[in-house]
Amino acid sequence: MTATLRDGFHCPAPIAPAECVVLGHGSGGKLSAALIKHHFLPHLGNPTLAQLGDGAVVDAGTQRIVLSTDTFVVSPLEFRGGNIGTLAINGTVNDLAMMGARPLALTAGFVIEEGLSFEVLDRIVAAMAAAARIAGVEIVAGDTKVVERGKGDGVFINTTGVGLANPAFTPGPHRVRAGDVVLVSGSIGVHGMTILSTRDGLGFDAELASDTACLVPLVDALRDATDGDVRALRDPTRGGLASALNEIAHASRIGVMIEEAALPIPGAVAGACEMLGLDPLYVANEGNFVAFVPPASAAAALDALRAHPLGRDARRIGVAVAENPGLVAMKTSFGGTRIVDLLPGDQLPRIC
Amino acid sequence: MTATLRDGFHCPAPIAPAECVVLGHGSGGKLSAALIKHHFLPHLGNPTLAQLGDGAVVDAGTQRIVLSTDTFVVSPLEFRGGNIGTLAINGTVNDLAMMGARPLALTAGFVIEEGLSFEVLDRIVAAMAAAARIAGVEIVAGDTKVVERGKGDGVFINTTGVGLANPAFTPGPHRVRAGDVVLVSGSIGVHGMTILSTRDGLGFDAELASDTACLVPLVDALRDATDGDVRALRDPTRGGLASALNEIAHASRIGVMIEEAALPIPGAVAGACEMLGLDPLYVANEGNFVAFVPPASAAAALDALRAHPLGRDARRIGVAVAENPGLVAMKTSFGGTRIVDLLPGDQLPRIC
């Protein structure tokens, strides 16, 4: 136990190395990476898991399928624009879409805390059904567990998705090359700041609604407009845009240079972030993705995104470069350049 | 909120209908069935989910695959014979095996409570790795979330499995016919009573170790010995043998008649159950299954089970009958007959 915990100080990033799990290990940042590297991969390591992609490709007889799993622990359970059920469907469907796969079916596992009202549960399950209908997938298997009061927090939902791999469309971070254009398909920071504005006692009430959405049709539009000429896709959820770009830079051993002035940050997000001292680059998104596209396809890609309702705020935000492999840098609005590193812990725990 | 909860009375089965989820809803008994029927199926209902099998069959292009999901919330996390990690692998692999499928790959989703020691986490993940090696499957995708202290309980683990369907071996409860012989592959009640003996303050210390095991080789032996002539398989985990038999009777609209004298109940289980007022028929198992086999294959099936180390305590315990469709009955050791119904709630919460 570290001093940070014994003293009841709940900084998500511990000052001394911890002997136990702390909140920051769930951040999607450096501590999360360390947790996986030191406590999971040494035991479970295999070439597929070690890729740490949004999903894994598995040979199933004559067919290649894609699997992806995600557990949702967002607090509060309900917020403007959706609830934990909406996120649980869209999040996993989107992870399959980021691998270029067509979602086939989902499973759902619920850990319910004793005392959860049926009224809330029904709204959550109805939202899952609505999101699944929009995504065109069914929940084919499920499991429910109940834990005592004080041993859970309303409900946690795991969804695992299976998709059909498309041999003609296999975006992946290892395929990125210097010169690729970096696009983002929509405004950033909206989901995270919506959750934050819903939490008690934070003293701001931005008029925001989560951007949670099924990105399958937007990925389809991008694929069709580029004849599948897309190098990598990633939805910047936990850890935000900065973490997604870092993961791609790390996996592909290229550098990424983005331009601050090009980032689509809505005024309400920028204002709330400034007030709370947060950086929108690290705030979670649930309805957009970053795409790395070869220069020859970039214009068609951007046009296709902007022509779709989910992509109307799409922007070209940067470029992959040969310099500084593994690093993400940003030209600031003031003309300087700064490194955009992974955060050690998290600005905002339990955002998805 | 019911009076039962407001008064702090934690009977797993509420006396009045609840307006919120209570512990008994996680029992695998009547309340669990009601939770699914009233709060999940109305929203998510589709023909596959409505079968409520151990897994679901999905068409993936040219291939049929089987999906199964399970979340593990056992308390305590570690016990004689294994830990939550062992259960999480064996439980899901076994669910695939009960559908006649060959396990291909697993995903794992962790919800970790802040403060879980790395020492315990490492033992759990190492146990998962060991169990996965024995089962011959890899964990190909994973997810970790961290929640604040008091919002979880150590760690909850969801595992979701994908298997390859075997067109020549598709046991399912709907295939059971009157006259089928009912076999159980091993001693009953061992896992549940092991967990109970590990809990504080229960005042008994039976020398029991969980029977958690990968049942794939035992199912393979049964399949090979019968040329696939097996009507239904079910692992009687949460809710025990009684609940598994009830589910099959309900799904197949046949009656099941078992004989109390034939049940393989170890002395330590019988003694602890008697002391605590529990019925071993409802105590969870993690290393055996019930098989419904046509009479012509029953002798070969039993021989094959008994020849395998995991099946040496296998017994013929009863028969499927045309009378009382949907009901399970038992000839007692005293010569009477009693109905073996589903329990409303659970004798033992959080056993897996």
Side-chain angles (χ1 to χ4, degrees):
Chain A
M1 192 84 32
T2 62
T4 47
L5 278 171
R6 210 162 32 218
D7 300 346
F9 173 57
H10 279 269
C11 171
I15 290 159
E19 289 156 34
C20 66
V21 178
V22 297
L23 265 186
H25 285 113
S27 68
K30 284 184 179 174
L31 276 173
S32 287
L35 176 71
I36 305 298
K37 184 175 171 190
H38 298 306
H39 300 284
F40 287 90
L41 290 183
H43 301 294
L44 302 177
N46 59 65
T48 318
L49 188 65
Q51 288 174 25
L52 298 176
D54 270 329
V57 180
V58 174
D59 280 315
T62 54
Q63 200 71 57
R64 302 203 97 183
I65 59 172
V66 176
L67 292 177
S68 186
T69 191
D70 211 343
T71 307
F72 296 82
V73 298
V74 65
S75 171
L77 296 173
E78 302 181 288
F79 44 83
R80 277 200 211 101
N83 61 36
I84 189 172
T86 332
L87 290 191
I89 301 296
N90 289 339
T92 294
V93 163
N94 290 347
D95 282 346
L96 295 173
M98 295 304 116
M99 308 266 302
R102 180 166 65 81
L104 285 176
L106 298 179
T107 64
F110 298 80
V111 177
I112 304 173
E113 184 193 12
E114 182 188 23
L116 179 70
S117 81
F118 284 134
E119 203 183 315
V120 172
L121 179 63
D122 285 341
R123 282 199 298 267
I124 290 169
V125 180
M128 294 181 78
R133 259 193 305 275
I134 290 171
V137 292
E138 284 184 340
I139 295 168
V140 295
D143 177 58
T144 55
K145 292 285 163 25
V146 181
V147 297
E148 304 91 332
R149 251 169 219 270
K151 303 290 187 183
D153 194 14
V155 60
F156 304 140
I157 305 177
N158 174 281
T159 49
T160 301
V162 57
L164 206 56
N166 176 352
F169 187 55
T170 57
H174 58 284
R175 298 185 53 208
V176 169
R177 298 288 174 267
D180 285 355
V181 172
V182 184
L183 306 174
V184 65
S185 74
S187 298
I188 68 169
V190 177
H191 174 73
M193 298 316 291
T194 303
I195 299 297
L196 214 54
S197 75
T198 315
R199 288 188 186 154
D200 290 339
L202 278 165
F204 81 102
D205 184 34
E207 276 305 319
L208 289 167
S210 171
D211 60 344
T212 179
C214 168
L215 294 169
V216 172
L218 192 59
V219 172
D220 287 350
L222 175 66
R223 183 198 60 214
D224 293 347
T226 60
D227 284 330
D229 193 21
V230 174
R231 293 268 165 74
L233 293 172
R234 181 70 63 120
D235 52 339
T237 55
R238 182 171 58 163
L241 183 64
S243 302
L245 292 174
N246 266 280
E247 285 166 20
I248 291 175
H250 185 81
S252 61
R253 306 307 301 160
I254 51 97
V256 174
M257 176 64 77
I258 59 172
E259 290 189 45
E260 187 173 19
L263 296 173
I265 304 173
V269 170
C273 278
E274 199 172 317
M275 192 168 76
L276 295 166
L278 300 175
D279 185 338
L281 277 172
Y282 297 92
V283 177
N285 309 275
E286 294 288 341
N288 62 22
F289 57 79
V290 284
F292 283 67
V293 181
S297 295
L302 190 56
D303 286 348
L305 293 177
R306 289 190 151 174
H308 194 282
L310 288 171
R312 59 177 179 267
D313 298 326
R315 298 271 186 94
R316 174 187 170 129
I317 60 166
V319 65
V321 294
E323 299 82 53
N324 304 317
L327 276 188
V328 179
M330 180 167 77
K331 282 186 197 148
T332 69
S333 304
F334 300 107
T337 299
R338 72 167 174 93
I339 301 293
V340 179
D341 201 1
L342 282 180
L343 289 189
D346 198 348
Q347 299 189 125
L348 312 168
R350 297 190 57 194
I351 218 77
C352 63
Chain B
M1 192 84 33
T2 63
T4 47
L5 278 171
R6 211 162 31 217
D7 300 346
F9 174 57
H10 278 269
C11 171
I15 290 159
E19 289 156 33
C20 67
V21 178
V22 296
L23 266 186
H25 285 113
S27 67
K30 285 185 179 174
L31 276 173
S32 287
L35 177 71
I36 306 299
K37 184 176 171 190
H38 298 307
H39 299 284
F40 287 90
L41 290 184
H43 301 294
L44 302 176
N46 58 65
T48 318
L49 188 64
Q51 287 173 25
L52 298 176
D54 271 330
V57 180
V58 174
D59 281 316
T62 53
Q63 200 71 59
R64 301 203 99 181
I65 59 172
V66 176
L67 292 178
S68 186
T69 191
D70 211 344
T71 307
F72 296 82
V73 298
V74 65
S75 171
L77 297 173
E78 302 181 289
F79 43 84
R80 279 200 210 100
N83 62 35
I84 188 172
T86 332
L87 290 190
I89 301 296
N90 289 339
T92 293
V93 163
N94 290 347
D95 282 346
L96 295 173
M98 295 304 116
M99 307 266 302
R102 180 166 65 81
L104 285 176
L106 298 179
T107 64
F110 298 80
V111 177
I112 304 174
E113 185 192 12
E114 183 187 24
L116 178 71
S117 81
F118 285 134
E119 204 183 316
V120 173
L121 179 62
D122 285 341
R123 282 200 299 267
I124 290 168
V125 180
M128 294 181 77
R133 260 193 306 275
I134 290 171
V137 292
E138 284 184 338
I139 295 168
V140 295
D143 177 59
T144 55
K145 291 285 166 21
V146 180
V147 296
E148 304 90 332
R149 252 170 219 269
K151 302 291 186 182
D153 195 14
V155 60
F156 304 139
I157 305 177
N158 174 282
T159 48
T160 301
V162 57
L164 206 56
N166 177 352
F169 187 55
T170 56
H174 57 284
R175 298 185 54 208
V176 169
R177 298 288 174 268
D180 285 354
V181 172
V182 184
L183 306 174
V184 65
S185 74
S187 297
I188 68 169
V190 177
H191 174 73
M193 297 316 291
T194 303
I195 299 299
L196 213 54
S197 76
T198 315
R199 289 189 185 154
D200 290 340
L202 278 165
F204 82 103
D205 184 33
E207 278 304 318
L208 289 167
S210 170
D211 61 343
T212 178
C214 167
L215 295 169
V216 172
L218 193 58
V219 172
D220 286 351
L222 176 65
R223 183 197 59 214
D224 293 347
T226 60
D227 285 330
D229 193 21
V230 174
R231 293 268 165 75
L233 293 172
R234 181 70 62 120
D235 52 339
T237 55
R238 181 171 59 164
L241 183 65
S243 303
L245 293 175
N246 267 280
E247 285 166 20
I248 291 175
H250 185 80
S252 61
R253 306 307 302 161
I254 51 96
V256 174
M257 176 63 77
I258 59 173
E259 290 188 43
E260 187 173 20
L263 296 173
I265 304 172
V269 169
C273 278
E274 198 171 319
M275 191 169 76
L276 295 166
L278 300 174
D279 185 338
L281 278 172
Y282 296 91
V283 176
N285 310 275
E286 293 289 341
N288 63 22
F289 58 78
V290 284
F292 283 67
V293 180
S297 295
L302 190 56
D303 287 348
L305 293 176
R306 289 190 150 174
H308 194 282
L310 288 171
R312 59 177 179 268
D313 297 327
R315 299 270 186 93
R316 174 187 169 128
I317 59 166
V319 66
V321 293
E323 300 81 53
N324 304 317
L327 277 188
V328 180
M330 181 167 78
K331 282 186 198 147
T332 70
S333 304
F334 300 106
T337 299
R338 72 167 175 93
I339 300 293
V340 179
D341 201 1
L342 282 179
L343 289 189
D346 199 348
Q347 299 190 124
L348 312 167
R350 297 190 57 194
I351 219 77
C352 63

